[in-house]
Amino acid sequence: MKKIAIFASGSGSNAENIINYFKNDTENVVKIVFCNKPDAYVLERAKRLNVPTFVFGREEFFHSDLVLNELKRLDIDLIVLAGFLWKVPDAIIDAYQNRVINIHPALLPSYGGKGMYGMKVHEAVIAAGEKESGITIHHVNNHYDEGATIFQAKCEIDPGDTPETLATKVHALEYEHFPRVIKEFLDNL
């Protein structure tokens, strides 16, 4: 049985979608949800879905081995970032080489990097007059949004689209593809 740890910072709709996708899987399981915000809604979602959670602060994440030790204790095989906004420390990246993946709400390498997340990405894409956007599922390395691409899916941007309507299109791609790509990734571990 391969074990997944999801890291999330906010609402957790992608985390919930992933948990539901794997709930009847006999080969893979979402073992835990890690969160850096004690009031994030993802914690409520995880509780409702009977998935344990682990909440940590900035000091614990960046200046101790608390999170890394918990990952090791649970024998985690894959770390999935689903709306997690902090840069993952080198110690975790090194311990889970090529086993930390993220989803980004744009077609990397464009519209990535520090500070480019959520609605900020959609606003930048619309402001630039792009004709398409989408999602990028990628490996996480020591630099924001620079890990190797695993999968991309595109959507058209219509002339009347706003950042909000684009966000809806991108979320649909996330929900459709992210769990399936995680499953394929695990099958090849």
Side-chain angles (χ1 to χ4, degrees):
M1 175 79 61
K2 292 178 184 158
K3 300 177 191 107
I4 305 162
I6 297 175
F7 280 65
S9 296
S11 164
S13 59
N14 265 316
E16 180 171 359
N17 188 41
I18 294 163
I19 292 165
N20 283 329
Y21 184 89
F22 285 103
K23 72 179 172 192
N24 295 318
D25 191 313
T26 57
E27 298 171 9
N28 307 290
V29 63
V30 175
K31 190 76 175 166
I32 191 165
V33 171
F34 284 83
C35 185
N36 59 321
K37 293 185 176 178
D39 59 346
Y41 191 65
V42 68
L43 298 170
E44 291 300 316
R45 291 181 195 265
K47 182 179 178 183
R48 187 172 18 107
L49 296 166
N50 298 313
V51 174
T53 59
F54 188 93
V55 179
F56 56 89
R58 182 171 292 278
E59 188 67 27
E60 296 159 324
F61 193 54
F62 292 109
H63 302 290
S64 82
D65 288 331
L66 181 74
V67 173
L68 179 58
N69 290 340
E70 186 65 8
L71 289 163
K72 288 179 177 178
R73 185 185 73 76
L74 294 171
D75 198 26
I76 296 299
D77 296 291
L78 179 67
I79 298 170
V80 174
L81 308 184
F84 185 70
L85 302 181
W86 288 355
K87 185 175 179 289
V88 178
D90 292 349
I92 293 174
I93 298 292
D94 293 345
Y96 286 87
Q97 198 70 44
N98 295 318
R99 292 186 295 133
V100 183
I101 63 175
N102 183 39
I103 190 163
H104 187 75
L107 299 172
L108 293 174
S110 299
Y111 307 102
K114 185 173 174 63
M116 290 301 286
Y117 59 88
M119 204 53 84
K120 293 178 182 185
V121 174
H122 306 308
E123 290 166 356
V125 169
I126 294 286
E130 297 287 354
K131 302 290 184 230
E132 63 182 13
S133 190
I135 60 168
T136 304
I137 299 168
H138 63 95
H139 288 280
V140 174
N141 64 17
N142 304 87
H143 306 281
Y144 281 108
D145 300 326
E146 291 184 14
T149 296
I150 298 167
F151 175 86
Q152 286 187 317
K154 297 177 181 179
C155 61
E156 287 186 20
I157 300 174
D158 299 312
D161 272 333
T162 64
E164 291 75 19
T165 60
L166 178 55
T168 300
K169 291 179 181 182
V170 170
H171 283 308
L173 292 175
E174 291 173 350
Y175 301 152
E176 177 184 354
H177 296 290
F178 202 16
R180 177 187 56 76
V181 171
I182 293 166
K183 170 80 168 146
E184 289 171 6
F185 188 86
L186 287 165
D187 288 346
N188 293 310
L189 266 185

